[in-house]
């Protein structure tokens, strides 16, 4: 699905992140998960958080070649699209662990990726801001996107997954994260 089709489906403003230069082999992924004051990455190690029984990995966003953008439940994605592809995530330490959990739980299939890379680590290597919201603001000069993203993220805390997965603002926020991640990789790797 193109980003315009996603915006139309969600009845929101168009996704404001410019599409990165194209590369048929490079895709980005980003997972969204439930969290609360007691159960979050701020108060527990990544492995413990990802494997906590109350954590629901409710949303996946994917950005790929030719303006492809997909947002939905991880189990509903066509994972064969990523077979033998370069897959990047902004914090692969988290997203990679989530991916393995979903594979182990039988939610998504195990596939062979050509490579897995972390754009947060790459950003730090190049002395760029590590946080994706700061990359949006200071590297790509999209301060409104960074501000909106922060507001949407703050609103997600402690909200029931049924409300989160279908919320148009959250879906656009997630799509923008995947697009930004891919753009960062395409322009800086």
């Amino acid at each position: 699905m193109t980003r315009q089709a996603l915006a139309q489906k969600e009845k929101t403003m168009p996704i404001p992140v410019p599409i990165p230069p194209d590369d048929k082999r490079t895709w980005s992924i980003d997972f969204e998960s439930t969290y609360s004051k007691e159960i979050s990455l701020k108060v527990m190690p990544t492995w413990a958080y990802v494997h906590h029984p109350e954590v629901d990995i409710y949303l996946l966003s994917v950005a790929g070649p030719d303006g492809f953008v997909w947002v939905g439940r991880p189990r509903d994605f066509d994972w064969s699209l990523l077979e033998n592809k370069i897959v990047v995530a902004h914090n692969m330490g988290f997203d990679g662990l989530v991916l393995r959990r979903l594979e182990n739980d039988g939610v998504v299939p195990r596939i062979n990726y050509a490579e897995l890379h972390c754009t947060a680590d790459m950003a730090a290597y190049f002395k760029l801001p590590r946080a994706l919201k700061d990359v949006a603001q200071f590297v790509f000069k999209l301060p409104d996107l960074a501000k909106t993203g922060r507001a949407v993220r703050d609103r997600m805390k402690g909200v029931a997954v049924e409300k989160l997965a279908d919320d148009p603002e959250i879906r656009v926020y997630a799509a923008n994260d995947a697009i930004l991640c891919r753009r960062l990789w395409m322009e800086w790797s």
Side-chain angles (χ1 to χ4, degrees):
M1 177 178 290
T2 67
R3 68 185 180 152
Q4 290 83 7
L6 177 67
Q8 183 70 318
K9 180 180 176 187
E10 302 301 340
K11 296 180 178 65
T12 62
M13 294 176 47
I15 298 169
V17 179
I19 296 288
D22 219 359
D23 171 0
K24 303 288 185 209
R25 290 183 36 98
T26 302
W27 296 67
S28 65
I29 61 171
D30 182 56
F31 291 101
E32 301 300 331
S33 56
T34 56
Y35 65 100
S36 65
K37 184 177 179 182
E38 299 80 28
I39 303 168
S40 78
L41 290 168
K42 289 186 176 187
V43 298
M44 54 199 325
T46 305
W47 192 95
Y49 169 77
V50 168
H51 290 87
H52 194 283
E54 292 181 33
V55 171
D56 186 348
I57 312 301
Y58 66 91
L59 205 61
L60 165 71
S61 55
V62 180
D66 300 323
F68 179 95
V69 177
W70 186 93
V71 179
R73 284 289 210 167
R75 69 174 173 260
D76 297 332
F77 180 64
D78 179 2
W79 289 90
S80 68
L81 293 172
L82 303 183
E83 185 79 35
N84 296 313
K85 299 294 191 291
I86 298 167
V87 176
V88 298
H90 201 77
N91 190 357
M92 188 57 84
F94 173 77
D95 291 296
L97 195 55
V98 167
L99 187 55
R100 294 300 172 231
R101 174 193 160 185
L102 295 176
E103 289 173 349
N104 291 339
D105 290 351
V107 176
V108 304
R110 286 190 190 276
I111 63 169
N112 295 312
Y113 304 98
E115 301 170 21
L116 295 172
H117 295 286
C118 179
T119 56
D121 287 349
M122 182 188 72
Y125 175 82
F126 286 115
K127 309 278 191 255
L128 301 173
R130 186 174 176 87
L132 198 55
K133 64 179 174 49
D134 293 333
V135 168
Q137 182 171 355
F138 300 111
V139 177
F140 296 131
K141 308 299 183 211
L142 299 166
D144 291 341
L145 184 66
K147 183 178 178 183
T148 303
R150 271 191 295 270
V152 171
R153 185 83 183 143
D154 290 345
R155 194 168 53 80
M156 293 163 61
K157 187 175 185 178
V159 176
V161 71
E162 298 80 29
K163 292 182 179 179
L164 293 171
D166 295 324
D167 185 305
E169 283 186 305
I170 291 173
R171 293 173 70 88
V172 170
Y173 159 81
N176 282 334
D177 276 3
I179 295 166
L180 279 170
C181 176
R182 186 169 188 266
R183 180 178 176 189
L184 182 62
W185 180 260
M186 298 303 297
E187 292 184 14
W188 285 85
S189 69

